[in-house]
Amino acid sequence: MKTKQHGAVVGLIAAGALLLTACGSDNNTGPGGSTSGATASGVAVECGGKTKLNAEGSSAQKNAIDTFIQAYKAKCSGADLAYNPSGSGAGVKNFNAGQVDFGGSDSALSKDKGEVEAAAKRCATNPAWHLPLVFGPVAIGYKLDGVKDLVLDGDVTAKIFNGTVKKWNDPAIKALNSGATLPDKDIKVVYRSDESGTTDNFQKYLKIASKGSWTQGDGKQFKGGVGEGKEKSAGVAQATGSVDGAITYVELSFAQDNQLSLAKIDAGQGPVELTNETVGKAIDGAKIKGEGNDLVLDLDSIYGTTAAGSYPLLLATYEIVCSKGYDADTAKAVKAFLTVAATDGQAGLADAGYAPLPKAFQDKLLTAIKAIA
């Protein structure tokens, strides 16, 4: 995800503005106080408690957290949060060690690694909950002269990124793009050379959506065995934008910054363009495999969706919090921050390249946040 705001996502901005509108600081109180004020969407926020929260973790959500912080400070006078984008591993480690009030992670706590048990110990023998608060669409960005309207599916995308499909006029691509003039040109794959949550999610998508064509596995290192590696999202987007015939996977705002064309994805119900609405449909259709208010996502339900109008290629990040076990001041502030983040804070997300939460999913999060004790 990007660490600076991007203003060109006009369609997403409009959709985000329709979903939620930022509000001012009505009914605010000072540190330690409380309020019966509400967010722009009418959700009650009780400010107060700990005046400065600390959180750490996923760099993918850094720009979203910055947006949330501004909304939190506007709603709760004197309140603040410091976020260190040190990476998911450090976020989990330091949350479990009690050094931060909540952690940000691209993936759920691992029982096999002892993270679930360590989190429960940190939370005074209470389970930690996963709150998927930030979703970012991942684009399949490409540069191909004369081709601005390209359709791909999971199978063909997997074959491109593992080197099975090598030419832009391959019959497999032609079959998805009837009537298009595709050049007899080599496909030049560009991938992340550094460890990346985006790579991990992209490969998980390929594993599910390709229905057997992607056998290389997942993980934060690209395993396709083909193409040219570049560091960071900016690196892959710039490299793709500079070479005709290139293709990559990258967060939306970077693709737009480099004027990449964006492939539509056909999951069996026709081509789907990447928009706020189509991403929202995918989020709405996501299944929860966690219990109760522990909202661990079943990523297969997103990546493998065949629902009409759903764009399935997303990156989700969690806020990992104690269900119980905070002191009273910390619990109050954590709940206030998360409530504002899930409501007023959503208004600025589209401008930063993220997807605002659809209403039904927002309601699930608010129910969980309210239950934190």
Side-chain angles (χ1 to χ4, degrees):
M1 243 31 111
K2 220 170 162 183
T3 54
K4 65 175 184 171
Q5 286 207 339
H6 176 79
V9 196
V10 178
L12 294 182
I13 296 171
L18 286 171
L19 178 66
L20 293 169
T21 304
C23 71
S25 53
D26 56 311
N27 293 322
N28 292 346
T29 64
S34 62
T35 180
S36 58
T39 67
S41 52
V43 177
V45 180
E46 187 175 357
C47 299
K50 188 175 182 179
T51 56
K52 188 167 185 177
L53 293 168
N54 290 287
E56 181 174 357
S58 169
S59 60
Q61 66 174 11
K62 171 62 166 59
N63 204 37
I65 294 291
D66 287 346
T67 300
F68 299 157
I69 290 170
Q70 294 307 308
Y72 179 47
K73 291 167 73 173
K75 176 57 63 178
C76 297
S77 178
D80 200 0
L81 179 142
Y83 186 77
N84 179 12
S86 57
S88 297
V92 169
K93 179 181 177 181
N94 289 323
F95 171 76
N96 287 349
Q99 296 179 11
V100 293
D101 300 312
F102 63 87
S105 179
D106 299 339
S107 55
L109 296 175
S110 169
K111 186 175 182 179
D112 292 342
K113 294 180 181 178
E115 292 172 347
V116 172
E117 183 180 357
K121 183 177 180 181
R122 178 260 194 270
C123 297
T125 70
N126 298 290
W129 286 345
H130 300 78
L131 305 182
L133 191 62
V134 179
F135 291 84
V138 177
I140 301 175
Y142 68 96
K143 181 178 181 181
L144 188 60
D145 288 349
V147 180
K148 300 298 182 184
D149 190 16
L150 180 72
V151 179
L152 297 173
D153 61 11
D155 176 61
V156 173
T157 302
K159 290 175 179 176
I160 288 172
F161 281 88
N162 67 17
T164 304
V165 169
K166 303 177 185 296
K167 293 277 190 177
W168 280 107
N169 64 345
D170 187 283
I173 300 178
K174 282 185 173 181
L176 293 169
N177 294 272
S178 178
T181 301
L182 297 167
D184 182 13
K185 184 174 291 185
D186 289 341
I187 298 173
K188 299 170 184 177
V189 169
V190 182
Y191 63 87
R192 285 282 293 269
S193 60
D194 54 323
E195 288 196 353
S196 165
T198 308
T199 297
D200 188 23
N201 279 266
F202 179 63
Q203 293 184 135
K204 286 176 178 174
Y205 161 74
L206 294 180
K207 187 168 65 174
I208 298 302
S210 71
K211 299 179 181 178
S213 294
W214 184 263
T215 60
Q216 286 72 26
D218 52 29
K220 293 185 177 182
Q221 287 283 4
F222 180 70
K223 298 178 179 178
V226 65
E228 180 182 7
K230 295 292 183 180
E231 287 194 357
K232 309 297 182 185
S233 297
V236 295
Q238 289 166 7
T240 303
S242 65
V243 178
D244 187 46
I247 189 169
T248 194
Y249 55 92
V250 70
E251 294 92 332
L252 173 62
S253 56
F254 287 95
Q256 291 178 317
D257 274 352
N258 290 273
Q259 299 182 328
L260 302 183
S261 298
L262 307 180
K264 298 176 182 178
I265 294 179
D266 188 342
Q269 299 293 329
V272 177
E273 185 179 357
L274 196 172
T275 68
N276 188 70
E277 181 182 9
T278 61
V279 171
K281 285 185 178 180
I283 298 170
D284 254 345
K287 296 179 181 178
I288 304 296
K289 64 180 182 181
E291 297 181 357
N293 289 315
D294 185 21
L295 304 180
V296 178
L297 295 167
D298 176 3
L299 292 176
D300 291 3
S301 69
I302 299 177
Y303 298 145
T305 184
T306 57
S310 292
Y311 183 87
L313 186 47
L314 312 175
L315 185 151
T317 62
Y318 297 102
E319 313 315 324
I320 298 174
V321 303
C322 290
S323 58
K324 296 180 181 178
Y326 290 120
D327 63 78
D329 281 347
T330 301
K332 190 172 190 178
V334 167
K335 293 173 73 170
F337 173 80
L338 294 174
T339 300
V340 173
T343 53
D344 289 356
Q346 298 292 304
L349 289 189
D351 192 30
Y354 300 88
L357 297 170
K359 181 64 167 59
F361 200 88
Q362 181 191 52
D363 288 344
K364 294 177 185 178
L365 279 170
L366 290 170
T367 297
I369 293 165
K370 186 176 180 180
I372 294 171

